[in-house]
Amino acid sequence: MRLKLKDLPEENIFSSGHTACAGCGAAMAVRNIAKVLGKEVIIYVPASCLSVFNGLFPNCAWTVPYHHTVFENTGAAISGLSRAMKRKGLDDVTVVGIAGDGGTADIGLQALSGAAERNEDVIYICYDNEAYMNTGVQRSGSTPHGASTTTTPVGKLTKGNQDFKKDVPLIMMAHGVPYVATASASFPLDLINKVKKAKETKGFRYLQVYAPCVPGWRYEQSKTVEVGKLAVECGMWFLLECENGRLKINREPKMKNLETYLKMQGRFRHMDEKQIAELQESIERKWEFYKGYADLTQRLYSGSEASV
């Protein structure tokens, strides 16, 4: 049965009083994610904005067991925690890693791939704010084309990031894990039901959550939900889920208002017509790919239990 927001408990597992920026998309998402996960959970967070604003020693916003070590090892750390819980007979404890896009798409990709390949019984959540925000807004593998960061500045020779966003959810689908989904802090119902599904699934589960960042993206702090909704509407972010190899598109983008989305944010305001056209073309190519992939897998697994 699908969850509604009113079904979530009043008690916050991720409690108030943390130091996230006003309008932080990551904090919005994590608050709802924690309510679905419940108390029988161990949380692991590597170096990231979340590790900073959820509490520096001796304070901590988490009211459940919480671990923090180094940047690159989320996949390895949650694998060990999960196996330790099973060795102690604590099979009802859910082990969850929550990492940023830098710790997922770049620095932690090897540990993430290893855990997925072994089909470890864990949930890995990447909150995607599309750069290394806690260390000064450097470009990550998840930074979109054209975005200005401190390592892809706007100058005479280049105008922002010249590369295109790495598709980590697709990489996870290629691992053949039981559950892969994308979500957004701006679509809380979709988000909480995907977390619920991940919690009820065994094996390796991967969620990538779109998390707008006020200081890194440079927009008004009251516009976080609007920015996230526009991203889905224009196709900068797709809402998808892949269960045992069968891909489903949860919300079809309208493929419009890309320029409105870009002009809301300081990181994109320098983009000219040519750059916007290049970005639009890449979005449409990706959308056609996902539509075809979803159609193929739906037909491939039609009438049978999906298995990869």
Side-chain angles (χ1 to χ4, degrees), residues 24-103:
C24 174
M28 289 168 52
V30 168
R31 180 173 179 269
N32 284 327
I33 289 168
K35 282 176 176 277
V36 180
L37 292 173
K39 294 183 178 179
E40 296 300 319
V41 64
I42 296 176
I43 300 292
Y44 172 85
V45 178
S48 59
C49 292
L50 178 57
S51 71
V52 176
F53 72 70
N54 78 186
L56 296 175
F57 182 82
N59 302 307
C60 184
W62 292 99
T63 61
V64 293
Y66 166 74
H67 290 257
H68 166 71
T69 56
V70 294
F71 220 147
E72 71 275 16
N73 69 350
T74 303
I78 58 178
S79 297
L81 285 167
S82 175
R83 293 189 180 206
M85 291 301 103
K86 287 176 170 46
R87 184 67 179 266
K88 293 174 71 68
L90 300 173
D91 292 332
D92 57 340
V93 174
T94 304
V95 177
V96 182
I98 307 177
D101 50 284

Side-chain angles (χ1 to χ4, degrees), residues 3 9 23 33 64 74 81 86 101 103 124 126 134 139 151 154 157 163 166 197 202 236 291 295:
L3 281 176
I33 289 168
V64 293
T74 303
L81 285 167
K86 287 176 170 46
D101 50 284
Y124 189 115
C126 169
N134 68 315
R139 171 202 177 278
T151 50
V154 177
L157 299 179
D163 301 311
K166 188 185 294 184
K197 192 174 288 185
K202 288 293 182 185
M236 284 290 283
K291 277 201 302 182
D295 181 60

